Amino acid sequence: MPSITGSIIERRRIVIQGIVQGVGFRPFVYGQALQWGLVGFVLNDSGGVTIEVEGTSESLNCFQGALHKKAPPLARIDTLNAETIALCYDSAFTIAQSQAGNERQALISPDTATCDDCQHELFDQEDRRFHYPFINCTNCGPRFTIIQDVPYDRDKTTMRVFPMCRECQSEYEDPLNRRFHAQPNACPTCGPQVYLLDRVGNIKTPFQTNIRIAGHPTKADKSAMGAINRPLRMTHGDPIIEAAQQLATGAILAIKGLGGYHLACDALNDESVRQLRQRKHREAKPFALMVPDLDTARKLCRISDEEASLLKSHHRPIVLLSRLPGCPVAPDVAPAYDTLGIMLPYTPLHHVLLQAFAENMNVGQLAVLVMTSGNLSDEPIAYKDDEAVQRLASIAEGTLTHNRDIHMRCDDTVMRITAGGEQLFRRSRGYAPEPIMMSFDFPAQLLACGGHLKNTFCLGKGRQAFISQHIGDLENLETLTSFREGIEHFQRLFDIHPEVVAYDLHPEYLATKYALDTNIPQKIGVQHHHAHIASVLAEHGLHEPVIGIAADGTGYGTDGAVWGCEIMKADLLGFERLAHLDYMPLPGGEQAVHQPWRMAAVNLAQTYGNAFSDLDIPFVQQLDYSKWRVLAQMIAQHINCPPTSSLGRLFDAVAALIGLRSTVLYEGQAAIELEMLARQQEGSIYKKPADLYPFTIKKRDQMPAILDVSPMFRAIVRHIQQGVSTSHIAHRFHHSIAELLATACFSAREQTGLHVVALSGGVFQNQLLLTQLVQRLEEMAFQVYINRRVPPNDGGISLGQIAVAAAHMQRR
Ligand SMILES: [Zn+2]
Ligand SMILES: [Zn+2]
């Protein structure tokens, strides 16, 4: 229909899917509609956002263009469908009531770090939210961890119990306010409160602006007290500032964060850090640190531009960084590590705490807090209040907590910049539950149960793979509960009813048993290392077969052996094993993982036979022969000595052989220390093959080739005898393994004609090996892909499993 000005008036219905709820999308649409003089409405539904707009075709086109170009920072548009419909002649543009539909396609935003606008208000003495530790807006704040159901509205979150005051309500209802429909919107008058508890859970300091007459607790106070059935004892003062003072004088505190509790102490205080390590029974793994700003981080570590922007990104991961010489953090923060895991504050509580802590420091002293997961070693992070006080009472002298419940446990994400991009060690807070888009449509709704260690699960629907937050090692009831509840929660949030379940072939994995126990009709087992390679294929949308190198500690092989260094020809449908590290017995199974000396002895026995006991090297001289004879007997009689091709165990063996470590406190410790040692020689260049340790690749008819490293052991033993430094041996060993794997790829290319290589597996968390191998492969004109959006370790295999299962369904 022509308008008065001669242009055509049109009405369009625009349906948008993606992350468009809880990220300020509707006010943005509203603003754009006003700008272009359009009428109609916008609403959230469980599919995403639906817009109907009416106006001239020109302004409709401009409006539609702006949706893509100017969307709010946290929004992600996956699909936008527009159709012309009949005119309605509305009088204005409105934001209509949310609709709960049948289909739940709407994506849920991950938790997001406090934005600049909110930070500014937080430290503005004139602002009504000055120092209020729950300030947020549509561009920042908690999301995934507080959402109980969809569509995402306040009454489906743990903010439900805090009715908004008049001022907050008017912000919430004003489409031009940046808190318009910010579901966690709150202020000191109406929102959650923070409390400082003493060791047994008594409230020591409630939030200062909310002091009431003792003995008359409010509803919020009662909920904060939870199971702590004691009368309130009100004292004046700000609990965050008091917590900062306590930390500055050496206390260890539990601090409630977004997805769980942290344990915190002054990272420069040797005694506090030592105490924390002792009480937490975490004898070796490094603690993460939080610093107030990038400048402080730069005084501890070397930080590139890329690393700086990752630290400052709204995801706010822990970033692994190279420690500067003379870095003042206590030695017990990260013993034997040349890196530190650092993050910047990501909640308003962190911002206030870190600032107050810095003000308590002496002039010139850096403000650095240890912020490690609130748990005893191996347990999952505590996130429920009464449970946290109980579980952490033996560690923390007090607890800085609040009365906004955490619905979903979610640990910090851990990342680093390497080999030209980002690498995840753990994908969790700030990333989950944002889906990874696949290059194909899932032929059915699927569930993949993941592995045993560093478990994540994955649900697939449409083109989206929803990978869970880090669940942990499925070794205790609590983690298993978290796994089961997590799957149920994700199924509800994303309305997924799996028809297919994918699982690891290891019959003893709890995730596998869970999969086999479900009543999901189709069950597809996926070999562990195939899943690793498939995760790379899925991430990068690769459909043609590739040469895959899967290198890790443990994975169940199709022959029942413990695989862990596999060169394969693989696509999503299947794999062919082209080569693997020579099988060694793994004496005592799991025991051998904790005692690397066993693998050193096994490799020496394999290389030299029984004569190895005559070798004049410290490892052999110090070997406990009574223990070795038992192992040798077990090996001879094939008792609990599964054959293994694990590359992780080979690193263990070399670490033990050069005297670095004969036992470990966690898997991978020896290998990590070997890498640190090797890095001391960084810059050494090996120009001739003769500079490297030798190896042999044994080709066999119709069988996978064997990568034989016994020549390497002979050469290392010779070096030890000649007194070559251990760091030099470690460095040369890394380069030699890179050369071995690159050479194996070269043979694989001759055999298959393939020139694309995918690398995955926990061993590729080894930066030295990874960068060296990528470089060698590129020199050989291979195209190399690695995991960028999921971890290379077992945290990434659920993505590979789901992609493999989908490929099988597609073929049927
Ligand atoms: Zn904000
Ligand atoms: Zn309020």
Side-chain angles (χ1 to χ4, degrees), residues 16-187:
I16 301 176
Q17 294 187 345
I19 299 183
V20 287
Q21 293 189 8
V23 293
F25 201 78
R26 286 174 303 169
F28 155 72
V29 170
Y30 180 87
Q32 289 299 320
L34 293 193
Q35 188 179 334
W36 297 105
L38 306 174
V39 296
F41 65 84
V42 56
L43 60 80
N44 272 355
D45 51 32
S46 49
V49 160
T50 298
I51 305 167
E52 287 191 19
V53 270
E54 204 169 305
T56 66
S57 307
E58 295 81 27
S59 25
L60 286 176
N61 291 342
C62 293
F63 170 80
Q64 222 172 297
L67 291 182
H68 278 292
K69 277 180 241 145
K70 296 185 177 165
L74 300 184
R76 191 184 94 187
I77 296 178
D78 290 337
T79 61
L80 183 151
N81 290 309
E83 53 170 343
T84 301
I85 57 171
L87 298 178
C88 290
Y89 308 102
D90 306 300
S91 57
F93 191 88
T94 55
I95 296 179
Q97 204 65 357
S98 291
Q99 283 184 352
N102 296 326
E103 260 217 295
R104 297 174 182 179
Q105 292 287 353
L107 298 187
I108 287 168
S109 161
D111 302 287
T112 301
T114 312
C115 73
D116 291 345
D117 289 338
C118 286
Q119 260 187 73
H120 185 81
E121 285 182 9
L122 183 64
F123 290 109
D124 175 2
Q125 297 215 18
E126 302 302 311
D127 196 275
R128 71 191 187 93
R129 293 188 177 90
F130 174 64
H131 274 197
Y132 180 59
F134 304 96
I135 188 171
N136 67 83
C137 72
T138 48
N139 293 325
C140 73
R143 298 287 188 277
F144 171 62
T145 52
I146 61 164
I147 291 175
Q148 297 161 315
D149 206 348
V150 282
Y152 173 57
D153 271 322
R154 192 177 180 100
D155 66 350
K156 304 258 172 34
T157 72
T158 60
M159 285 298 293
R160 186 168 32 127
V161 296
F162 302 102
M164 274 181 275
C165 68
R166 208 178 305 142
E167 256 177 300
C168 286
Q169 188 73 34
S170 70
E171 292 167 341
Y172 183 86
E173 286 168 3
D174 174 5
L176 296 177
N177 191 292
R178 68 186 175 86
R179 299 203 163 86
F180 176 73
H181 281 220
Q183 305 303 345
N185 187 30
C187 76

Side-chain angles (χ1 to χ4, degrees), residues 398-418:
T399 304
L400 183 63
T401 186
H402 58 74
N403 56 353
R404 185 181 70 204
D405 284 342
I406 297 170
H407 185 69
M408 263 292 117
R409 166 191 278 142
C410 197
D411 290 81
D412 292 316
T413 289
V414 184
M415 302 180 77
R416 105 169 136 205
I417 301 288
T418 195

